[in-house]
Amino acid sequence: MAADRPDGSPSAELTRLAELYGVAASYRPSPDRTVTASVTALTRALAALGVDAGGPDAVRAALTAREDALRAALLPPALVRWGDGPVPGALTALPPGTRVSVTTEQGEERAGVEDLPPGVHRLTATTPDGRLARCHLIVAPPRLPAPPGRSYGLLVQLYSLLSRRSWGMGDLGDLGELAAWAGRALGAGFVQVNPLHAAVPGGAGAPTDPSPYRPSSRRFPDPVHLRIENIPEYAYAAGRTRLDGLLERAGRLRADVLGGPDALIDRDAVWRLKREALEVLREVPLGPGRRAAYCDHLAAQGQALEDHATWCALAEVHGPDWRRWPAALRDPRSAATARARTELRDRVDFHTWLTWLTETQLADAQRTARDSGMPVGIVHDLAVGVHPVGADAWAQQRYFAEGMSVGAPPDAFNSRGQDWGLPPWRPDRLAESGYAPFRDLLRALFRYAGALRIDHVMGLFRLWWVPEGLPPTEGAYVRYDAEAMLAVLVLEASRAGAVVIGEDLGTVEPGVREALRERGVLGTSVLWFERDWEGDGRPLPADRWRADCLATATTHDLPPTAARLTGDHVALRDRLGLLTRPAEEERAEAAADAGEWLDLLARLGLLRGSGGGADPDSEEAGVQAVYRFLRATPARMAGIWLPDAIGDRRPQNLPGTWDQYPNWRLPIADADGRPVTLEDLAASPRLRALVEAVRAGGPR
């Protein structure tokens, strides 16, 4: 073992070695408590970074090698300069007389680092004694501008939003309709959706994982979201009889989902119908202009799209888990993979075509949102990681930490910690590449996003790495170069003119929120968590909320507001056997929590009836009061959870469940659990009343 202490804790040498590689030997779950990482956690994390720490001799050798390498290095792999701010300290510390030259992102040669344009440039330093050092220089604007004015918008899980035209789940046509209506008729400033990343398809009879937060690829979208009838070639398809038959089947599928309170969305059934329709549409030749646009798309996406489409084609043959493919195909750069790509060229082209169609409709949705008057438009969601068997994990293997998974340490809410099953990026290889995978990912998403929400934004600073096969308690925090990650984020968002929202809920280490705010990244504030934790613990008054945030009443992982106010969320968890205390205690605590907020809302004059006829004592009036309060805060953006607008009491996702609850498969429903279409939403008096309450806002 690599420990030499009687209690089994890490030795001083192992601790020092871990810290030099950014692996934290301890963490603080609360200000008054420090937890030491285990020897196993440190050695496994170091092994994933290519460091042998399997025993005292190995630790000493690795420590000596690391210290020697750091002393000898003239420059780190990446440096950051914020606008025309101070020159990075590593450059000013170079020996006197060192010559510095820069090759800009645009290929221009410059002497020195002054007056450089924003971008990720290549810097070369040559010392008087002939030593040479190269690194990436990230030049980014000092901060992102604030969102235009104060606005409110709608938050929705797109799959749950069915219209009378969608094929059994919400699609990009529905998103465009929602945005146009919300912008023009409601004065909304944005629509936020769940991640639309490509999913890992089901295999061997297993269904596709419906979670949008465990995607196959974060860079490319999922064609299941396509509106088939909006594809231009649809009008010219020769297989009209076949398409008409598919439309009839899609209508029946939609009717099944909308038919009753127990109906669920069947993503795989939807995709089977759409894929059959797309095979028909693919036979329609592209016109010259469409062909040119497609070729431009292929050229712009390059190797990344080729890899993604190759994985999709190989998955059709060998199944979705690339780790079980023939050994030679597990390497995206092998000769066998190149041969397979050629043999499967037709299927590879099919999947590149699907990606082009989907990204075109995503861009159309954003254009529609902006044309409706929305200052922001569509807010897309970036998942914290990717599925270990998916396309990104296959194509970008060298950037992922082998044998590791992202999760969370034990805390007051989960004593066992969490393992999210997502492989983390290696911080060393990200830096060596100038953060190329991160840059490419952001650039792809910002092409059709007015704003980007980053799930678990704390991951720009550090992530909890859990060794494969061990419980989350056996993990350790691994640090990333937060300044470089933030600089890349600000650089790409500023180029796109986009807003960035960081999901910073839960345990956040000191300094993270301040660093994000300094660079113009908004935070996320959820009403039920906003209390005066450093004072009396009571609900935080509206004027003490932070301005630089998206304020919401709930999220996809939390109960809808009506459930909070009625206690239905406790009853649900009780029915599923998820309570850790007696139901009476849970109900009493939930009622007290809601009661404190309702008392505050009443004192502020926010708890009242409405033009929509709500009884001041009703749950509907309580929902309206909650949203009036959000608009009374200084938050730059306020989000209405769309199911709240019609009294839906079912969470879209119930953490801690798998088969016990239909996570990610519920259509939006009313207070009685009856599914509601987009057309019904647009005509809902309850929704109109809530919107009027939000637009009026503030206390009397």
Side-chain angles (χ1 to χ4, degrees):
M1 296 292 290
D4 58 7
R5 294 176 176 173
D7 61 359
S9 62
S11 67
E13 284 119 336
L14 177 59
T15 297
R16 172 67 176 161
L17 177 63
E19 294 288 354
L20 289 180
Y21 277 95
V23 182
S26 64
Y27 72 99
R28 302 183 69 185
S30 60
D32 58 346
R33 182 166 169 254
T34 299
V35 176
T36 301
S38 69
V39 171
T40 300
L42 298 184
T43 55
R44 291 283 296 274
L46 285 166
L49 293 169
V51 181
D52 179 7
D57 291 341
V59 168
R60 280 191 288 272
L63 180 58
T64 299
R66 181 63 168 172
E67 290 175 335
D68 289 346
L70 290 174
R71 275 192 299 268
L74 287 171
L75 294 171
L79 293 172
V80 172
R81 187 175 189 188
W82 296 101
D84 57 358
V87 173
L91 294 180
T92 60
L94 289 170
T98 297
R99 297 193 311 275
V100 173
S101 62
V102 173
T103 304
T104 70
E105 200 176 76
Q106 297 75 25
E108 182 183 354
E109 298 294 333
R110 299 279 191 96
V113 296
E114 301 302 322
D115 300 321
L116 290 173
V120 180
H121 313 306
R122 290 291 291 163
L123 182 146
T124 301
T126 308
T127 64
D129 59 2
R131 286 183 295 160
L132 196 67
R134 292 188 173 90
C135 74
H136 299 275
L137 177 62
I138 306 167
V139 179
R143 62 176 284 121
L144 291 168
R150 293 182 69 234
S151 63
Y152 85 93
L154 305 178
L155 317 178
V156 63
Q157 300 284 289
L158 181 57
Y159 59 83
S160 72
L161 179 70
L162 280 75
S163 72
R164 294 170 191 163
R165 295 179 179 175
S166 48
W167 289 27
M169 63 180 280
D171 61 32
L172 293 173
D174 297 322
L175 179 57
E177 289 284 353
L178 176 67
W181 169 68
R184 295 179 186 278
L186 305 182
F190 61 92
V191 172
Q192 178 181 305
V193 295
N194 54 288
L196 304 183
H197 309 318
V200 176
T208 298
D209 184 346
S211 171
Y213 292 93
R214 280 169 57 84
S216 171
S217 173
R218 294 191 294 174
R219 177 165 176 178
F220 297 104
D222 199 309
V224 75
H225 301 112
L226 281 168
R227 170 66 64 86
I228 298 296
E229 300 91 321
N230 287 1
I231 298 171
E233 287 68 39
Y234 182 85
Y236 307 104
R240 179 55 56 190
T241 301
R242 185 176 173 190
L243 286 176
D244 289 345
L246 291 171
L247 275 175
E248 290 180 10
R249 289 162 59 191
R252 291 194 294 271
L253 185 59
R254 178 176 60 247
D256 288 344
V257 177
L258 297 174
D262 297 324
L264 299 178
I265 292 165
D266 187 340
R267 178 193 180 102
D268 286 334
V270 173
W271 177 235
R272 283 192 294 271
L273 287 179
K274 289 191 176 183
R275 184 176 57 201
E276 190 173 341
L278 288 161
E279 297 284 7
V280 174
L281 297 186
R282 190 166 177 247
E283 300 304 315
V284 181
L286 296 176
R290 293 270 290 166
R291 170 60 61 182
Y294 179 45
C295 290
D296 282 351
H297 178 77
L298 294 178
Q301 299 302 310
Q303 186 68 58
L305 178 56
E306 180 99 339
D307 286 344
H308 176 71
T310 299
W311 180 90
C312 293
L314 287 169
E316 291 178 341
V317 178
H318 301 287
D321 188 347
W322 64 269
R323 300 172 302 183
R324 298 176 182 271
W325 293 354
L329 296 179
R330 296 172 201 166
D331 179 359
R333 301 290 167 257
S334 72
T337 299
R339 286 193 300 272
R341 182 182 291 117
T342 300
E343 294 165 0
L344 298 171
R345 172 51 57 192
D346 183 67
R347 299 310 297 167
V348 171
D349 186 65
F350 177 69
H351 290 288
T352 59
W353 176 69
L354 293 184
T355 302
W356 172 61
L357 294 178
T358 310
E359 293 198 349
T360 299
Q361 290 195 5
L362 282 163
D364 288 344
Q366 171 61 3
R367 191 177 305 112
T368 297
R370 296 302 296 270
D371 288 347
S372 76
M374 288 185 171
V376 174
I378 309 300
V379 181
H380 284 279
D381 199 347
L382 175 61
V384 70
V386 296
H387 202 292
V389 309
D392 283 2
W394 175 73
Q396 300 177 7
Q397 289 173 55
R398 71 178 310 273
Y399 292 110
F400 287 102
E402 187 176 357
M404 288 287 157
S405 175
V406 175
D411 57 26
F413 301 100
N414 191 327
S415 61
R416 292 174 293 182
Q418 301 175 57
D419 183 346
W420 302 333
L422 310 170
W425 267 335
R426 284 183 55 161
D428 55 338
R429 290 186 174 166
L430 277 182
E432 290 165 4
S433 73
Y435 296 87
F438 188 43
R439 284 188 282 141
D440 292 344
L441 170 60
L442 293 173
R443 200 168 297 167
L445 295 173
F446 281 132
R447 281 200 304 272
Y448 45 74
L452 185 64
R453 173 192 180 270
I454 299 182
D455 191 41
H456 193 70
V457 73
M458 296 83 79
L460 300 181
F461 295 76
R462 65 177 185 177
L463 283 172
W464 184 256
W465 287 19
V466 181
E468 185 177 353
L470 295 180
T473 51
E474 283 290 314
Y477 273 117
V478 177
R479 292 206 166 275
Y480 294 74
D481 186 339
E483 185 178 39
M485 298 283 277
L486 266 177
V488 169
L489 176 61
V490 170
L491 172 65
E492 296 301 337
S494 65
R495 285 171 161 169
V499 175
V500 178
I501 302 161
E503 185 272 296
D504 55 355
L505 303 174
T507 302
V508 184
E509 66 176 322
V512 167
R513 288 195 175 107
E514 293 77 8
L516 294 169
R517 185 173 61 247
E518 180 184 4
R519 301 304 171 193
V521 177
L522 304 184
T524 301
S525 293
V526 178
L527 179 129
W528 306 99
F529 302 154
E530 292 296 315
R531 288 176 170 269
D532 184 8
W533 298 114
E534 296 180 359
D536 58 14
R538 298 185 65 80
L540 194 67
D543 60 358
R544 290 178 55 192
W545 282 45
R546 53 182 170 170
D548 297 323
C549 75
L550 166 64
T552 71
T554 189
T555 74
H556 55 266
D557 284 335
L558 297 173
T561 305
R564 285 267 190 189
L565 296 174
T566 58
D568 280 13
H569 63 306
V570 176
L572 173 62
R573 294 182 66 82
D574 187 26
R575 286 198 303 274
L576 297 177
L578 299 175
L579 299 182
T580 57
R581 295 181 296 166
E584 294 76 14
E585 290 183 25
E586 296 274 0
R587 281 195 292 268
E589 182 177 292
D593 181 50
E596 286 190 338
W597 277 104
L598 290 171
D599 287 346
L600 173 61
L601 299 174
R603 290 198 305 273
L604 294 173
L606 300 175
L607 191 59
R608 54 184 186 262
S610 72
D615 179 342
D617 295 324
S618 69
E619 154 267 317
E620 181 182 351
V623 173
Q624 291 179 9
V626 163
Y627 282 99
R628 287 192 185 99
F629 181 88
L630 292 182
R631 287 295 276 168
T633 72
R636 296 187 182 279
M637 300 172 71
I640 297 176
W641 179 241
L642 192 54
D644 275 355
I646 52 171
D648 197 345
R649 301 187 183 190
R650 306 173 304 173
Q652 284 292 312
N653 178 50
L654 189 59
T657 63
W658 185 248
D659 293 331
Q660 310 100 304
Y661 188 78
N663 295 317
W664 317 113
R665 288 176 287 163
L666 292 171
I668 293 178
D670 62 17
D672 297 318
R674 292 188 298 266
V676 175
T677 65
L678 173 57
E679 293 83 359
D680 295 333
L681 282 166
S684 167
R686 176 165 178 161
L687 183 147
R688 290 278 182 171
L690 178 59
V691 169
E692 288 306 313
V694 169
R695 296 179 76 168
R700 282 180 174 169

